[in-house]
Amino acid sequence: MRHPTLAAQCYRLVRQLCIHPFTSAVVSRYLRNREQFFLRQSLALPFSVPPASQGALGAVQYGDGKQVVTSSSAVCAVLRSEAELLESAALELSVLATGSDVRRAGELVAALLETPNALDEDVPAFLEQNGGLEQGLPRMLEIFHSFDFAWHDSISPAEYRLSLFAELRFDSCLRRDASGCETYEFGALLALLGAARRELQNRGLLSTPQQQDEVKRETRAIVETLVVENHRREIQFARFQALKAWRTLLDIVLAKAFDLVPAESRHSLILDLLSAILPPLAASEVDASISELLSGAAVLLATKLRDETVGLLFVESGESVQSVPPERLHAVLRAVLQAILQPGVAPVVRGNLYAVVLNYVQYSHKLAALSPALSRTLEDSASVAGSATAHDDVFSLDGMSTAGGTASGRRTSRKTALEQGNFSIFASALERLLPVVCRDAAVGHEVWRTVAFTVLDALVAIADEGNATSKVLALLSKQGYLQNFIAALKDAEADLQATLQPDPRASLPLFSSASALEETRLTHRPPSSQPRSTRSTSTRRRCRS
């Protein structure tokens, strides 16, 4: 990509043509049938940031240690290109799935979600181009990991304590650019500094050479600091737009095209996505808007995991059956709890993470109840440890035919390895987790209070299964939360009783509707089907006349 800014504008133009009412049908059909544009471009993702030797230089440091010397404008352009392409791919996939074009929708889903070496050989003929077969992760995960980088600016402004310009409000210079990013506008900044300098001159504070040098040093420090801040804001905004587009595409895949993913890959795919999304939520340097975006995606994935993938686990592929390592599930739970306990988490993000915990608990109960292999206790596993093989280190799941009533019937009060691991993780975090949940349940927003109380109920149930209810109650009583809940329930007693009393005003519309319906029914009855009293009255009236 020699001109990333030009490429970003081209991708933007393509997307605008695809959504405009006058051009969408024709352009989309041409790109789909003649160019295979969406499939080919999706196979090229993620885009590489090109190196640069001029402009506002800096370094992009990726999580795997790779570093690229480039410019901030090139980084923003690449991120905007990916955002526009992902939005276009989401629109195309939605159109194909809604229009029942299963073949093309399946090709696009395969390009996005399956590892390149697992793609069907006759889907696209150009898979081996650009080193596509070297990727070891699904492309959606590769795209997501490409957003995980740190920007190191080449400008390093020295920390300088302002004295002459300390009272200036630089926030007044913030403006939104054409892309919607809020940055410092240097025309307004220079005007602000010029007005402040003239005021200092009028007050006689720039009469000596030392004072004039001080003004120059402070001006340079202010300009350099705001230049670096603008680069940071621009890259952060472009990254958010790219993640937002990635989330849109993920939503479309899960809502409309998840059935096109091979059944034996769905469970592992969702766990991979969850394992990638959750760790950034526990990082303190992640922007609040990105955390809210990722936590919403985690809720969607956890709900999909709970509702649709438990049955998919019981799918045999030849002679081997799918297996679920317990450590993999426990790692998901640890990541969720770590993100909840992270200081400074927004209430919306924490509420979404509560929903993830609830989905995970329900998913674990389903998993342990459906699979006979998961019903083995730790004691049973220890008794056969001497003859265990490497295959015994995972939860081996049998076929669906054996997961009926016999599985739940063989369960006892003893916990499975999955449940035991869950209990240990909750127990280790209980003293820190319980105050956070109780605080949200007591003084949080109305919606998140309900979610927090539901999580609290789930924690009590888990503690009850592990005979640790007394510990939970002791923590609630010691910190005053239990007394607070009882007092709040007492205060709401009148409202609770009012909801149980019948309200004549509320039932009046229903009564009126029922009366009108009955009147209409009687009016449209044929004479022979009218009640006897009505017919006799009508007969008497005719006789009198």
Side-chain angles (χ1 to χ4, degrees), residues 251-299:
D251 291 350
I252 295 298
V253 169
L254 295 178
K256 295 187 176 182
F258 196 63
D259 58 328
L260 299 177
V261 181
E264 65 274 8
S265 303
R266 297 177 192 175
H267 184 264
S268 178
L269 174 65
I270 289 185
L271 286 179
D272 287 339
L273 290 168
L274 272 175
S275 300
I277 286 175
L278 290 174
L281 293 174
S284 57
E285 65 274 7
V286 177
D287 190 69
S289 57
I290 292 180
S291 296
E292 184 174 345
L293 194 69
L294 295 181
S295 64
V299 173

Side-chain angles (χ1 to χ4, degrees), residues 41-101:
Q41 294 297 320
S42 297
L43 288 170
L45 290 170
F47 297 148
S48 299
V49 177
S53 58
Q54 58 184 0
L57 296 179
V60 173
Q61 183 77 41
Y62 289 98
D64 59 358
K66 180 183 177 182
Q67 182 172 328
V68 179
V69 177
T70 183
S71 63
S72 62
S73 59
V75 176
C76 293
V78 169
L79 291 173
R80 286 197 298 269
S81 298
E82 292 178 324
E84 299 291 348
L85 179 55
L86 290 171
E87 289 280 2
S88 300
L91 176 63
E92 173 70 2
L93 183 58
S94 178
V95 171
L96 293 176
T98 305
S100 301
D101 194 340

Side-chain angles (χ1 to χ4, degrees), residues 16-240:
Q16 289 178 336
L17 291 174
C18 290
I19 62 178
H20 195 279
F22 295 161
T23 59
S24 60
V26 176
V27 173
S28 298
R29 190 183 308 113
Y30 174 81
L31 293 175
R32 182 186 308 126
N33 298 337
R34 298 290 298 274
E35 299 292 335
Q36 287 188 317
F37 175 82
F38 303 104
L39 181 59
R40 288 179 180 270
Q41 294 297 320
S42 297
L43 288 170
L45 290 170
F47 297 148
S48 299
V49 177
S53 58
Q54 58 184 0
L57 296 179
V60 173
Q61 183 77 41
Y62 289 98
D64 59 358
K66 180 183 177 182
Q67 182 172 328
V68 179
V69 177
T70 183
S71 63
S72 62
S73 59
V75 176
C76 293
V78 169
L79 291 173
R80 286 197 298 269
S81 298
E82 292 178 324
E84 299 291 348
L85 179 55
L86 290 171
E87 289 280 2
S88 300
L91 176 63
E92 173 70 2
L93 183 58
S94 178
V95 171
L96 293 176
T98 305
S100 301
D101 194 340
V102 178
R103 183 182 68 83
R104 287 194 175 95
E107 291 177 355
L108 189 54
V109 169
L112 292 169
L113 294 183
E114 294 185 17
T115 53
N117 56 359
L119 288 172
D120 198 76
E121 294 181 357
D122 57 354
V123 172
F126 43 87
L127 270 175
E128 298 183 1
Q129 298 180 2
N130 299 325
L133 291 177
E134 296 180 0
Q135 290 181 326
L137 292 175
R139 189 162 278 104
M140 282 291 285
L141 280 175
E142 290 282 349
I143 298 170
F144 180 81
H145 289 311
S146 71
F147 302 145
D148 182 19
F149 63 86
W151 168 256
H152 303 288
D153 210 295
S154 60
I155 302 175
S156 300
E159 295 184 3
Y160 199 84
R161 186 177 183 85
L162 300 180
S163 59
L164 298 176
F165 295 142
E167 302 298 327
L168 294 183
R169 296 184 57 188
F170 299 106
D171 291 346
S172 61
C173 302
L174 287 172
R175 303 287 188 274
R176 292 193 180 274
D177 59 14
S179 63
C181 178
E182 194 175 44
T183 57
Y184 290 96
E185 205 273 321
F186 282 93
L189 175 64
L190 293 178
L192 180 64
L193 292 176
R197 183 166 183 167
R198 287 190 297 271
E199 183 180 354
L200 292 173
Q201 287 177 341
N202 295 334
R203 293 165 55 186
L205 298 178
L206 298 181
S207 57
T208 64
Q210 292 79 7
Q211 291 174 335
Q212 293 179 1
D213 292 340
E214 178 67 17
V215 167
K216 293 179 181 179
R217 285 192 293 268
E218 290 193 12
T219 302
R220 180 182 180 87
I222 291 171
V223 172
E224 288 182 347
T225 301
L226 295 187
V227 166
V228 173
E229 176 63 15
N230 275 357
H231 294 165
R232 187 198 67 81
R233 285 172 174 261
E234 290 167 352
I235 292 175
Q236 188 70 4
F237 182 80
R239 180 173 12 209
F240 173 76

Side-chain angles (χ1 to χ4, degrees), residues 228-538:
V228 173
E229 176 63 15
N230 275 357
H231 294 165
R232 187 198 67 81
R233 285 172 174 261
E234 290 167 352
I235 292 175
Q236 188 70 4
F237 182 80
R239 180 173 12 209
F240 173 76
Q241 295 298 323
L243 276 170
K244 184 179 178 182
W246 182 87
R247 163 74 191 278
T248 301
L249 180 57
L250 179 65
D251 291 350
I252 295 298
V253 169
L254 295 178
K256 295 187 176 182
F258 196 63
D259 58 328
L260 299 177
V261 181
E264 65 274 8
S265 303
R266 297 177 192 175
H267 184 264
S268 178
L269 174 65
I270 289 185
L271 286 179
D272 287 339
L273 290 168
L274 272 175
S275 300
I277 286 175
L278 290 174
L281 293 174
S284 57
E285 65 274 7
V286 177
D287 190 69
S289 57
I290 292 180
S291 296
E292 184 174 345
L293 194 69
L294 295 181
S295 64
V299 173
L300 185 64
L301 288 168
T303 304
K304 205 75 173 177
L305 185 72
R306 179 200 66 189
D307 292 342
E308 297 195 13
T309 60
V310 170
L312 297 175
L313 286 169
F314 302 93
V315 177
E316 293 192 3
S317 177
E319 298 180 355
S320 62
V321 289
Q322 201 175 15
S323 300
V324 184
E327 296 82 5
R328 191 178 185 189
L329 300 175
H330 294 155
V332 170
L333 180 58
R334 288 191 188 94
V336 177
L337 297 183
Q338 185 179 0
I340 292 175
L341 298 174
Q342 179 69 28
V345 178
V348 175
V349 176
R350 199 161 52 244
N352 285 335
L353 293 173
Y354 289 158
V356 175
V357 170
L358 292 173
N359 284 318
Y360 177 87
V361 171
Q362 296 171 9
Y363 160 78
S364 299
H365 288 331
K366 281 186 178 182
L367 202 62
L370 285 175
S371 172
L374 286 177
S375 296
R376 296 179 309 181
T377 63
L378 294 177
E379 297 176 2
D380 297 333
S381 300
S383 65
V384 295
S387 59
T389 62
H391 189 66
D392 293 325
D393 292 334
V394 298
F395 295 131
S396 301
L397 303 179
D398 296 332
M400 192 57 151
S401 60
T402 63
T406 59
S408 58
R410 291 194 301 179
R411 295 195 67 196
T412 65
S413 59
R414 295 176 296 177
K415 292 184 289 295
T416 65
L418 174 61
E419 293 170 317
Q420 179 67 30
N422 291 341
F423 177 79
S424 300
I425 294 172
F426 278 119
S428 63
L430 190 62
E431 293 187 1
R432 293 184 298 155
L433 178 64
L434 205 57
V436 176
V437 178
C438 291
R439 188 164 53 249
D440 287 332
V443 298
H445 189 273
E446 195 65 33
V447 175
W448 302 126
R449 286 182 63 190
T450 304
V451 179
F453 271 119
T454 309
V455 171
L456 185 59
D457 180 69
L459 292 176
V460 173
I462 293 173
D464 183 60
E465 293 177 359
N467 298 322
T469 309
S470 58
K471 181 180 179 180
V472 174
L473 293 178
L475 289 173
L476 292 176
S477 301
K478 180 180 179 181
Q479 302 187 19
Y481 291 113
L482 190 59
Q483 182 179 359
N484 179 273
F485 294 153
I486 295 174
L489 190 62
K490 181 64 177 178
D491 294 340
E493 185 176 3
D495 295 334
L496 292 174
Q497 291 179 353
T499 59
L500 300 177
Q501 296 177 357
D503 188 359
R505 293 174 299 176
S507 60
L508 182 59
L510 181 61
F511 176 76
S512 301
S513 300
S515 300
L517 181 62
E518 180 66 17
E519 183 178 353
T520 303
R521 186 177 63 84
L522 293 175
T523 303
H524 288 81
R525 268 187 177 181
S528 59
S529 62
Q530 291 182 2
R532 181 175 300 177
S533 59
T534 305
R535 292 201 306 269
S536 60
T537 303
S538 302

